[in-house]
Amino acid sequence: MMYAFFLVPILFLISFLLSSVILVHQAETIVIERLGRFHRILGPGLHAIVPFIDQKRSAIWTFVFVDHNHDYVRISKTLYRIDLREALYDFPKQNVITKDNVTMEINALLYYQITDVKAAMYEVSNLPEAIEKLTQTTLRNVIGSMDLDTSLTSRDVINERLRLILDEATDKWGVKINRVELQEVNPPHDIRAAMEKQMRAERSRRATILEAEGSKFAMILDAEGVQQSQVLRAKGQADAAIIEAEGQAQARLKVAAAEAKAFEMLQSAMPNTDPAQYLIAMKYMQTLPQMMEGQNNKLIVVPYESSALMGSLASMKELFKNIDEKQK
């Protein structure tokens, strides 16, 4: 009986000492109220409070979780310790109406962080639920000011507008909105089907354009190749004609020079004789064998004027004799 009398005070003292010491972990905080009024905020570390006079402030916050069946489940928790780390809030899908009266399903992700614990505890009763409702109404307003095409192609713009509006609205709650992301944007089934048809048509159009441009480019290359080959062929023929003409001209010049030299030699060897007669006779003698080819004892008619040329042949002996004497 005596042991029981001393055991009760000892247990009471141990309970008193345990309730007067609070250990706060890193990135957590606890709000302490003294006699029902705000007293102080406990940071990380070991703290002592006055039992029965100082009380930990609790808050009932409702959170949304996604279970293993991908369903959204709401859970209400009584919190004494406030987490100061960045938190993720995955909002359930909601229907929003665009400016052109198209209903879409949108799922958003919100990243927020508590910066003022006192405001988060006393300025709003259920902080996660308040943020959720504010995000839903803000999202409807933002999407309602855009048409369907703009809302589907302007996710970054929508995210930034949501972040700025929510950050300004939740500032009095001691919350900092770090980032807002639209996770899913689902138009109605008929709109998606029409968009898929439009996308396929656009891809077919682009493929047709690319194929036509490729064929056009190939035809241009072929035409340029043919043109270049024709130009090169014509240039080669022109160069060949020029070279041939130059060769013929040089040959004629050499022949003319040789004939002029022969004429001068005849003129010097036979001053009293016309060298032209000699040259004509030589041409006649060169042409006569060609005239005789293939005749086979047939009659050849020689013009009378040609017989006069034969008279000059008699003087050829005298000509060569004079030339030999001069060379000796």
Side-chain angles (χ1 to χ4, degrees):
M1 193 67 179
M2 179 179 291
Y3 293 107
F5 178 77
F6 289 103
L7 183 60
V8 172
I10 293 173
L11 293 176
F12 178 79
L13 180 61
I14 294 174
S15 177
F16 181 83
L17 293 175
L18 292 176
S19 60
S20 63
V21 177
I22 298 178
L23 178 63
V24 182
H25 300 285
Q26 185 68 34
E28 290 183 350
T29 185
I30 297 176
V31 177
I32 300 298
E33 293 181 343
R34 177 165 290 180
L35 298 177
R37 301 184 62 177
F38 174 76
H39 178 56
R40 60 174 174 156
I41 298 175
L42 303 182
L46 187 63
H47 301 273
I49 61 174
V50 180
F52 308 110
I53 297 178
D54 295 338
Q55 298 289 334
K56 294 183 291 185
R57 170 71 179 187
S58 63
I60 301 177
W61 287 356
T62 302
F63 297 93
V64 177
F65 295 94
V66 180
D67 60 7
H68 62 280
N69 294 325
H70 301 285
D71 295 329
Y72 289 93
V73 179
R74 294 183 178 273
I75 299 178
S76 297
K77 293 183 178 181
T78 301
L79 300 178
Y80 293 97
R81 300 173 181 268
I82 307 301
D83 196 340
L84 300 179
R85 295 173 296 179
E86 185 178 48
L88 169 64
Y89 203 102
D90 187 1
F91 295 99
K93 294 182 181 179
Q94 57 177 327
N95 294 326
V96 295
I97 302 176
T98 61
K99 186 178 181 179
D100 47 355
N101 295 323
V102 177
T103 303
M104 298 189 303
E105 284 187 349
I106 294 182
N107 180 23
L109 297 176
L110 181 67
Y111 296 86
Y112 69 95
Q113 191 173 9
I114 297 176
T115 56
D116 188 349
V117 178
K118 182 179 179 181
M121 294 295 292
Y122 293 101
E123 295 296 333
V124 60
S125 62
N126 195 328
L127 180 62
E129 187 176 7
I131 294 176
E132 178 186 353
K133 300 303 180 184
L134 179 62
T135 304
Q136 290 176 351
T137 55
T138 305
L139 184 59
R140 291 192 182 100
N141 293 333
V142 172
I143 297 298
S145 62
M146 300 180 177
D147 55 17
L148 177 62
D149 294 336
T150 305
S151 61
L152 291 176
T153 58
S154 304
R155 285 197 178 189
D156 294 338
V157 176
I158 297 173
N159 294 338
E160 185 62 20
R161 289 181 61 181
L162 285 173
R163 190 193 68 79
L164 292 175
I165 296 173
L166 293 175
D167 187 47
E168 182 179 359
T170 58
D171 183 65
K172 64 178 180 179
W173 298 340
V175 176
K176 174 67 176 177
I177 304 298
N178 295 328
R179 190 165 67 255
V180 180
E181 297 289 344
L182 296 182
Q183 188 176 16
E184 295 180 4
V185 179
N186 298 324
H189 180 71
D190 54 345
I191 299 295
R192 290 200 301 269
M195 292 173 61
E196 291 177 357
K197 291 182 180 179
Q198 182 180 1
M199 186 180 301
R200 287 196 295 267
E202 180 66 19
R203 290 177 178 175
S204 300
R205 184 184 68 85
R206 291 181 180 179
T208 303
I209 292 174
L210 292 175
E211 184 177 358
E213 290 179 351
S215 300
K216 178 182 177 182
F217 186 69
M219 293 175 64
I220 291 174
L221 290 179
D222 292 339
E224 290 178 352
V226 173
Q227 183 180 6
Q228 290 179 358
S229 63
Q230 291 177 353
V231 170
L232 293 175
R233 187 181 299 110
K235 186 177 179 181
Q237 293 175 355
D239 293 340
I242 291 173
I243 294 173
E244 184 179 359
E246 290 177 350
Q248 293 177 358
Q250 291 178 0
R252 290 193 185 100
L253 289 175
K254 291 181 178 180
V255 172
E259 290 178 350
K261 187 176 180 181
F263 189 85
E264 291 177 357
M265 292 176 64
L266 289 173
Q267 188 68 35
S268 61
M270 301 175 65
N272 298 324
T273 305
D274 186 6
Q277 296 295 328
Y278 170 74
L279 294 176
I280 294 173
M282 293 299 295
K283 291 291 184 181
Y284 178 77
M285 294 179 65
Q286 292 175 359
T287 308
L288 185 60
Q290 297 178 359
M291 296 172 59
M292 298 295 294
E293 288 181 357
Q295 296 302 321
N296 296 327
N297 298 324
K298 290 184 179 180
L299 178 62
I300 300 176
V301 179
V302 179
Y304 174 76
E305 290 78 3
S306 299
S307 61
L309 299 175
M310 301 303 295
S312 61
L313 297 177
S315 60
M316 291 175 60
K317 180 179 180 182
E318 186 66 22
L319 174 64
F320 288 115
K321 182 179 180 180
N322 294 333
I323 294 173
D324 293 337
E325 291 177 355
K326 286 183 179 182
Q327 291 179 353
K328 291 180 179 179

